[in-house]
Amino acid sequence: MKFNKVLKDIKTYEAGKPIELVVREFGIAAQDVVKLASNENPIGTSPAVQKAIIANADRAHLYPDDSMFELKDALRKKFSVTDENIIIGAGSDQVLEFISRALLDDESSVLMSAVTFAMYEIYAKQMGAKIIRTASYAHKYDEFMEAYKMHKPKIVYICTPNNPTGDATSKTEVLKIIEAIGKESLIVVDGAYMEYAAAKDEKYAISAKDLLAYENVIYLGTFSKAYGLGGMRVGYGIAQTALINELYKMRPPFNISTLSLAAAIEACNDETFVEESITLHQEQIKRYEAFAKENGFAYIESYTNFITYLFDETMDAAKISDALLKRGVIIRNLTSYGLNAIRITIGTQAQNDVFFTHFSEVIV
Ligand SMILES: *Cc1c(COP(=O)(O)O)cnc(C)c1O
């Protein structure tokens, strides 16, 4: 059997390790495992959303409303756009996939920062496209422009706030990059963590509406992070109608499940839950900043629901991650991104207590 030649160059995406794996491999009871690896909402799923999922359980035999009218209506109001500006995906990941398939082939290139969301590369490579990265993980205008002029990429990714580093790019800087890039390139502004950045500092707040003036820009958002619906797989893209219409050609029918739709609609109406999640997060992340300062290592100022600790050569991110895993604490080792660093999702107070207890012992 001969597979598509593009597959040779693709590494399978490594997701955060599941709780079940730690239970199986290390014999730790599920309730003692603390998972701070996938940037899920530590509070869980909003009770109102859980109710909506249960209330719709008897409709699981029905295909969902393929027009997704109600969810689009909720998003339309939230972002002050029209429903023709919106495409829904099984996670914003699926929208990323639509974008790659709609634009790329083996003569294209895509431009992204040195360290950013791993799926941009994987979807691009599936299409045989070439990956161009800037030198810095921060999205710097000069670096982006230099690479843009040299390679004329079909897609330019701006992940703000950026994952897995946690830094953000100001709205001014993002607009400056957008203005300078020609209409033949699509600029994807991935705002998976935008709710956290907007709550922290409005300089970094970018709303889909701000970008709708540009025909070659799409804003991506997700219900997986602040909205607490990682397991339901719902995300969205917002752009001018002509672009949305092209992406629609890539969409399989019924790409969101009946229960996921019900959950996302309810989540849109439950902004209090998001506000509470962000308040808890803002309290708890201070402990992580203080811990780094007290213990003399660096961290990246975070605009997300996680923090990235940067280690010098006296500490080994891979070893530390393994030691934590054996103790039932799952975090993300960033060695594969070329950083001697770990990324920790900010948990609840109790989860963070467990993290600090084990982490303090592991780093001595
Ligand atoms: C989590 C994440 C997404 C998408 O997540 P979905 O669960 O597929 O919606 C997209 N971009 C970034 C940077 C992320 O961290």
Side-chain angles (χ1 to χ4, degrees):
M1 204 167 21
K2 214 167 162 197
F3 291 98
N4 189 325
K5 62 180 185 304
V6 300
L7 299 193
K8 274 209 194 78
D9 196 28
I10 299 178
K11 274 202 235 124
T12 309
Y13 179 77
E14 209 186 305
K17 293 196 167 59
I19 292 170
E20 293 80 354
L21 176 136
V22 180
V23 173
R24 272 196 316 271
E25 284 195 10
F26 305 110
I28 298 166
Q31 70 267 19
D32 296 331
V33 177
V34 172
K35 186 188 181 205
L36 301 174
S38 298
N39 305 335
E40 292 142 327
N41 189 324
I43 304 181
T45 311
S46 128
V49 170
Q50 293 187 36
K51 253 195 213 151
I53 296 169
I54 293 162
N56 280 276
D58 65 351
R59 294 175 58 235
H61 63 297
L62 296 173
Y63 281 121
D65 168 12
D66 198 47
S67 76
M68 305 185 199
F69 176 83
E70 258 192 284
L71 179 55
K72 283 191 181 175
D73 198 48
L75 287 169
R76 172 181 74 75
K77 289 177 186 143
K78 188 168 143 61
F79 289 107
S80 309
V81 298
T82 73
D83 52 3
E84 277 121 40
N85 296 127
I86 304 169
I87 186 163
I88 313 282
S92 54
D93 252 293
Q94 194 181 32
V95 184
L96 286 167
E97 189 187 352
F98 297 159
I99 292 168
S100 289
R101 284 172 44 221
L103 284 155
L104 302 177
D105 57 33
D106 58 7
E107 285 168 12
S108 334
S109 64
V110 300
L111 173 60
M112 64 192 77
S113 99
V115 181
T116 191
F117 192 46
M119 291 312 298
Y120 305 152
E121 171 169 339
I122 293 176
Y123 292 129
K125 283 186 169 171
Q126 288 173 358
M127 302 307 296
K130 199 171 142 199
I131 313 300
I132 315 290
R133 291 181 185 273
T134 58
S136 313
Y137 63 75
H139 293 68
K140 295 191 173 155
Y141 174 84
D142 291 343
E143 291 181 14
F144 268 78
M145 289 325 294
E146 194 188 320
Y148 164 72
K149 284 180 193 140
M150 197 184 314
H151 300 282
K152 292 280 153 114
K154 286 290 279 289
I155 302 178
V156 178
Y157 284 106
I158 302 178
C159 187
T160 184
N162 195 16
N163 177 16
T165 50
D167 62 307
T169 313
S170 72
K171 179 173 161 182
T172 315
E173 191 82 353
V174 170
L175 290 178
K176 198 170 144 196
I177 296 173
I178 289 173
E179 294 278 358
I181 283 177
K183 300 284 183 239
E184 46 326 308
S185 303
L186 174 69
I187 301 148
V188 178
V189 177
D190 185 347
Y193 304 92
M194 190 55 78
E195 292 85 359
Y196 298 94
K200 176 169 173 153
D201 184 343
E202 66 180 278
K203 269 209 316 275
Y204 296 90
I206 298 171
S207 82
K209 175 99 173 154
D210 298 333
L211 307 177
L212 215 49
Y214 304 96
E215 68 189 50
N216 61 329
V217 177
I218 185 165
Y219 177 87
L220 302 188
T222 181
F223 286 95
S224 299
K225 311 285 161 56
Y227 285 83
L229 289 184
M232 297 309 280
R233 316 300 306 120
V234 190
Y236 49 88
I238 300 180
Q240 287 188 11
T241 309
L243 175 55
I244 295 296
N245 289 346
E246 293 304 310
L247 297 183
Y248 247 88
K249 296 176 185 174
M250 301 297 155
R251 190 189 72 101
F254 311 117
N255 60 323
I256 304 298
S257 79
T258 300
L259 297 185
S260 298
L261 258 187
I265 292 162
E266 189 56 39
C268 273
N269 298 328
D270 191 5
E271 290 293 342
T272 321
F273 175 79
V274 176
E275 284 158 24
E276 284 168 9
S277 303
I278 290 173
T279 304
L280 170 87
H281 163 77
Q282 288 178 333
E283 282 162 25
Q284 292 296 316
I285 196 168
K286 291 194 191 122
R287 300 175 64 193
Y288 283 84
E289 294 165 351
F291 188 95
K293 284 176 192 151
E294 282 158 21
N295 289 277
F297 53 81
Y299 64 88
I300 301 172
E301 177 80 13
S302 169
Y303 294 82
T304 60
N305 64 349
F306 60 83
I307 193 162
T308 297
Y309 279 174
L310 299 168
F311 300 142
D312 63 15
E313 62 291 343
T314 65
M315 290 167 83
D316 182 327
K319 279 193 190 142
I320 289 169
S321 307
D322 281 348
L324 286 171
L325 190 67
K326 289 197 181 99
R327 291 160 167 259
V329 178
I330 318 174
I331 52 119
R332 207 64 194 260
N333 164 22
L334 298 185
T335 315
S336 65
Y337 289 85
L339 296 177
N340 183 24
I342 58 171
R343 187 193 73 186
I344 313 129
T345 306
I346 310 303
T348 59
Q349 177 161 4
Q351 289 176 320
N352 299 330
D353 289 346
V354 174
F355 171 81
F356 287 121
T357 301
H358 289 295
F359 189 57
S360 307
E361 291 172 10
V362 157
I363 60 175
V364 288

